[in-house]
Amino acid sequence: MSAALLDRRDVVARLLADRRDLLVVSGLGSATYDCAAAGDDPRNFYLWGAMGGTAALALGLALAQPTKPVLGITGDGDLLMGLGTLTTIGAQAPANLSIIVLDNEVYGETGEQPTATAHGTDLTAVARACRLNAVDEVADMAGVEALAARLHAGDGPLFANIKIAPGNPEKVLPARDGAYLRDRFRGAVLGDAA
Amino acid sequence: MTLTHPSALPATDPNDWRDAVYELFRASAIRQVVYVPDAGHTRLIDRCHADPDMHAVVLSTEEEGVAHLAGAWLGGDRGVMLMQSSGVGNCVNMFSLLAACRLPFVTLVTMRGEWGEFNPWQVQMGRTTPDILKISGLTVHRVDDPADVAETVDSALRIAFDGSQGVAVLLSQRLIGRKDFTAED
């Protein structure tokens, strides 16, 4: 265990620093703000709602785009709402899909009420039991660095739960019109076929 | 991997509406078929699993399927969800994704609880399913006659994918046949 929990913005900035052809789906709330803070990109699909849907949306995308790495990045609250999706991902086992949870053990948007992970639910163990390739604790930036490389390795479905420091950094708000986000994402991924 | 579907399926039966729907899926370039099973969908599910050009994906809950097909569409794949009427209630918040992003979406819903239903626990969702779909912004087609199924599904696929709309096709309990609780199943 490291002395200090990781900063969510540092983690996401590092994961996306050398993203190459990575496609990103971010869960509502802080994960979406973190991805926007790391630098807007048409290949980011920001969720502003649809809680519980991040991992499922990333799975559908990964099956449609098997030659590109796909990252679903979200908070513990969103993953817990759609926890059954881990069973679906394990059964489909797409090698190009990674799910990363920024686990602050609270519902950060609504007053910091503790989630089940604050009471000991071990999402890494859950993911492993669903047959995802779950990495062990990512406790420092060297671990984040290694994880960033794994996103492109094609040995998924990869899963990582990263314990992050409490607190809400300044909100960085990306576009929130869904039809606009849809069109620019499809344009970036599919080109003229969009 | 062990799958429960048969390894060799009979050839398409032109008189079987489920086969006609499967052929329509192929002709319409449907690449991902997600489902929570219903007995009324069994043959269609089997055919989709047996097709190497389709991903047939069993879900843990129907709301997953709405998000899944949104992701599929973002990646360039057309998809369809198969479910029964009890699953429609599970989707309600996730339907906001379709409205917010104006996404194409097609679901074929086998109806329970509306015709000669033995199990009273199915009746509530049988009664409320059409209205839930409508107030969630989907266009609703209903089919009672086997001869109308393929044409109706074709209409749904066109409305959805030509115009980025959500469409549900309700396959009525009279069409599917009511579940027999007296036989081994």
Side-chain angles (χ1 to χ4, degrees):
Chain A
M1 192 72 192
S2 63
L5 292 167
L6 292 168
D7 176 86
R8 60 185 310 138
R9 291 280 160 86
D10 292 347
V11 169
V12 176
R14 180 61 201 93
L15 290 172
L16 302 184
D18 176 28
R19 64 183 286 164
R20 289 167 275 171
D21 54 351
L22 185 70
L23 308 179
V24 177
V25 179
S26 63
L28 78 170
S30 295
T32 277
Y33 313 146
D34 295 336
C35 288
D40 189 31
D41 190 297
R43 297 163 303 165
N44 289 352
F45 191 76
Y46 306 111
L47 288 168
W48 280 86
M51 185 161 174
T54 309
L57 198 146
L59 173 60
L61 175 60
L63 294 179
Q65 287 287 328
T67 63
K68 293 193 172 73
V70 173
L71 169 62
I73 185 161
T74 194
D76 43 317
D78 176 66
L79 191 85
L80 286 163
M81 190 173 282
L83 199 59
T85 301
L86 292 179
T87 67
T88 311
I89 291 172
Q92 295 301 316
N96 60 327
L97 176 62
S98 301
I99 302 293
I100 294 180
V101 180
L102 303 165
D103 180 7
N104 60 2
E105 303 186 350
V106 295
Y107 294 98
E109 291 287 301
T110 55
E112 312 245 313
Q113 299 86 353
T115 67
T117 65
H119 300 287
T121 291
D122 180 348
L123 293 175
T124 304
V126 173
R128 193 165 279 147
C130 296
R131 305 182 67 81
L132 278 72
N133 295 324
V135 304
D136 290 319
E137 188 181 4
V138 176
D140 53 31
M141 288 308 288
V144 176
E145 187 93 23
L147 184 60
R150 273 294 282 285
L151 300 179
H152 300 270
D155 63 349
L158 188 70
F159 181 90
N161 189 64
I162 305 177
K163 293 289 184 184
I164 51 158
N168 287 316
E170 186 185 356
K171 285 185 172 60
V172 177
L173 307 180
R176 63 184 185 280
D177 181 87
Y180 165 73
L181 293 169
R182 173 204 70 186
D183 280 346
R184 76 169 194 161
F185 186 94
R186 279 174 53 91
V189 176
L190 304 172
D192 291 341
Chain B
M1 174 176 274
T2 310
L3 296 171
T4 53
H5 61 83
S7 56
L9 285 158
T12 291
D13 175 353
N15 296 316
D16 190 316
W17 59 264
R18 292 156 299 190
D19 282 357
V21 170
Y22 167 73
E23 295 298 339
L24 201 51
F25 283 3
R26 283 201 59 85
S28 307
I30 299 302
R31 296 271 297 127
Q32 300 197 31
V33 176
V34 301
Y35 65 92
V36 174
D38 178 65
H41 284 310
T42 300
R43 183 177 173 90
L44 182 54
I45 290 168
D46 287 346
R47 297 219 62 180
C48 294
H49 267 293
D51 188 327
D53 295 328
M54 288 185 192
H55 290 289
V57 178
V58 65
L59 307 163
S60 71
T61 175
E62 293 82 356
E63 66 179 309
E64 235 183 79
V66 181
H68 183 114
L69 292 181
W73 177 248
L74 288 172
D77 270 2
R78 293 175 169 206
V80 172
M81 175 150 67
L82 313 178
M83 62 175 158
Q84 58 176 284
S85 43
S86 52
V88 170
N90 292 346
C91 295
V92 172
N93 181 49
M94 212 57 84
F95 281 150
S96 65
L97 190 55
L98 306 180
C101 302
R102 213 162 64 76
L103 295 168
F105 175 78
V106 177
T107 182
L108 310 188
V109 182
T110 46
M111 296 301 294
R112 292 285 310 271
E114 61 165 18
W115 189 263
E117 177 65 58
F118 172 84
N119 181 353
W121 296 46
Q122 290 282 356
V123 172
Q124 164 94 353
M125 283 308 304
R127 192 166 49 225
T128 58
T129 280
D131 287 341
I132 288 173
L133 290 164
K134 285 174 195 162
I135 63 175
S136 298
L138 281 78
T139 293
V140 178
H141 289 339
R142 180 186 173 85
V143 198
D144 292 299
D145 185 335
D148 295 336
V149 175
E151 194 178 15
T152 307
V153 174
D154 185 49
S155 165
L157 292 168
R158 288 173 191 275
I159 291 172
F161 293 110
D162 290 347
S164 273
Q165 301 288 314
V167 190
V169 177
L170 308 185
L171 303 170
S172 78
Q173 198 164 15
R174 287 185 85 175
L175 171 78
I176 303 294
R178 71 185 186 93
K179 184 170 178 176
D180 185 354
F181 278 85
T182 60
E184 290 289 325
D185 194 359

